Amino acid sequence: MSMWKQLVTLVRGSAHETGQSIVDKRAMTILDQQIRDAGTAQAKARDDLATLTARRRMVEKDVEGFTAQREKYEASARAAMQRGDMDLARQVAERLATIEADLSAKTPQIEEMRGAEDRMRGVIQSGDAKIEALRREVDVVRANESVQKAQAAVAGNYGGTLSQLGSAAESLQRMKERQAIQGEKFRAAAELEDMRSGADLDSKLKAAGLLQGSSSADDILARLSAPPAKDSLRLSDGSGDPKSLPRE
């Protein structure tokens, strides 16, 4: 029996969590509808206030009419009494009694209705202020919700961008490593080719100045500045001009 109670409690708890989740997701929609309902109630209250004000003004008109009738009948009663017509004066007095009874009944109503109007105005003003404050809060919450969604999207995109940049940087580093390895392969192959053909040995001899047929710029300048050999033979080319030829 205890297990069944626990299962029932679990089902009720799950239903509550599900309902609460739905309410939370649709909180803005529910709140907007509640604000609209409150606005409708405020409009109904304003209409009731207008009706009460209209009725109070009608009562005031009645009181004004009864007051005018009372003044008229009081003057008529005095005139009848002055002429000695007491029967007519009594009839007028009876009418005055009815008018004064109506005045006694309606005059307090006016004050009561005015008080009710003041209370309703206070309630309506308070309701309007609360609804307006609630609307401002809803606007702030809605704006914050939009900003947070935008921030979440930016954060997601930023994370994806960083991930893409990291992948691109890794790819670039791998390309550099492949190029460096390929360059070393090219240099190693060139060195092997020079060793096979003897070009590396010729380069060493040329650098040491021991390779025949090779001369540096300094060697050429030294040769050009050296005086001609004294034991060279002077030969004539048949034109009478002597020509100096080196001796073998």
Side-chain angles (χ1 to χ4, degrees), residues 221-242:
L221 291 175
R223 186 180 72 243
L224 293 175
S225 61
K230 294 181 180 181
D231 56 349
S232 61
L233 298 177
R234 301 179 65 86
L235 300 177
S236 175
D237 58 356
S239 61
D241 296 326

Side-chain angles (χ1 to χ4, degrees), residues 49 52-53 55-57 59-61 64 106-122:
L49 175 59
L52 179 60
T53 301
R55 289 178 177 175
R56 188 256 304 165
R57 289 175 179 174
V59 173
E60 288 177 341
K61 289 182 178 180
E64 290 176 357
K106 289 183 177 294
T107 300
Q109 292 180 2
I110 294 175
E111 296 302 322
E112 292 177 358
M113 295 173 79
R114 286 184 182 276
E117 288 178 43
D118 292 339
R119 290 190 297 271
M120 290 183 66
R121 287 192 185 93

Side-chain angles (χ1 to χ4, degrees), residues 12 15 41 53 74 84 169 173 214:
R12 292 174 59 193
T53 301
E74 284 178 350
Q173 185 61 31
S214 64

Side-chain angles (χ1 to χ4, degrees), residues 11-243:
V11 171
R12 292 174 59 193
S14 300
H16 175 75
E17 290 180 355
T18 302
Q20 189 64 45
S21 176
I22 295 174
V23 169
D24 291 342
K25 289 181 179 179
R26 307 297 296 175
M28 297 304 299
T29 302
I30 294 173
L31 193 53
D32 287 338
Q33 183 59 46
Q34 289 175 341
I35 291 175
R36 286 192 291 270
D37 293 342
T40 301
Q42 287 291 99
K44 179 63 168 57
R46 291 189 185 90
D47 184 68
D48 292 342
L49 175 59
T51 301
L52 179 60
T53 301
R55 289 178 177 175
R56 188 256 304 165
R57 289 175 179 174
M58 291 176 64
V59 173
E60 288 177 341
K61 289 182 178 180
D62 291 341
V63 170
E64 290 176 357
F66 289 142
T67 301
Q69 290 180 20
R70 182 181 63 183
E71 292 175 354
K72 180 184 71 172
Y73 286 124
E74 284 178 350
S76 299
R78 290 190 184 95
M81 291 174 65
Q82 289 175 357
R83 287 190 303 177
D85 191 350
M86 298 304 297
D87 291 336
L88 180 60
R90 182 175 292 278
Q91 292 178 4
V92 174
E94 290 176 353
R95 176 59 181 163
L96 280 171
T98 303
I99 292 173
E100 289 180 353
D102 290 337
L103 284 173
S104 298
K106 289 183 177 294
T107 300
Q109 292 180 2
I110 294 175
E111 296 302 322
E112 292 177 358
M113 295 173 79
R114 286 184 182 276
E117 288 178 43
D118 292 339
R119 290 190 297 271
M120 290 183 66
R121 287 192 185 93
V123 171
I124 291 173
Q125 291 176 356
S126 176
D128 289 341
K130 290 180 180 179
I131 291 174
E132 185 61 26
L134 187 58
R135 283 174 177 167
R136 287 195 296 268
E137 291 182 7
V138 169
D139 291 339
V140 171
V141 171
R142 183 176 284 110
N144 289 336
E145 186 72 12
S146 299
V147 170
Q148 290 179 357
K149 287 182 179 179
Q151 290 176 340
V154 170
N157 293 335
Y158 180 71
T161 301
L162 290 181
S163 177
Q164 293 175 0
L165 289 175
S167 300
E170 292 175 358
S171 300
L172 181 60
Q173 185 61 31
R174 288 194 295 270
M175 290 177 63
K176 290 181 178 180
E177 292 177 356
R178 287 197 299 269
Q179 290 175 355
I181 293 172
Q182 190 66 28
E184 291 297 331
K185 287 182 178 180
F186 289 151
R187 282 192 289 271
E191 290 175 357
L192 290 174
E193 180 61 23
D194 290 343
M195 292 176 63
R196 185 189 65 80
S197 63
D200 62 332
L201 181 59
D202 292 341
S203 297
K204 293 178 181 179
L205 291 173
K206 184 177 181 180
L210 300 177
L211 185 64
Q212 294 181 354
S214 64
S215 59
S216 64
D218 293 336
D219 294 336
I220 294 173
L221 291 175
R223 186 180 72 243
L224 293 175
S225 61
K230 294 181 180 181
D231 56 349
S232 61
L233 298 177
R234 301 179 65 86
L235 300 177
S236 175
D237 58 356
S239 61
D241 296 326
K243 186 175 181 182

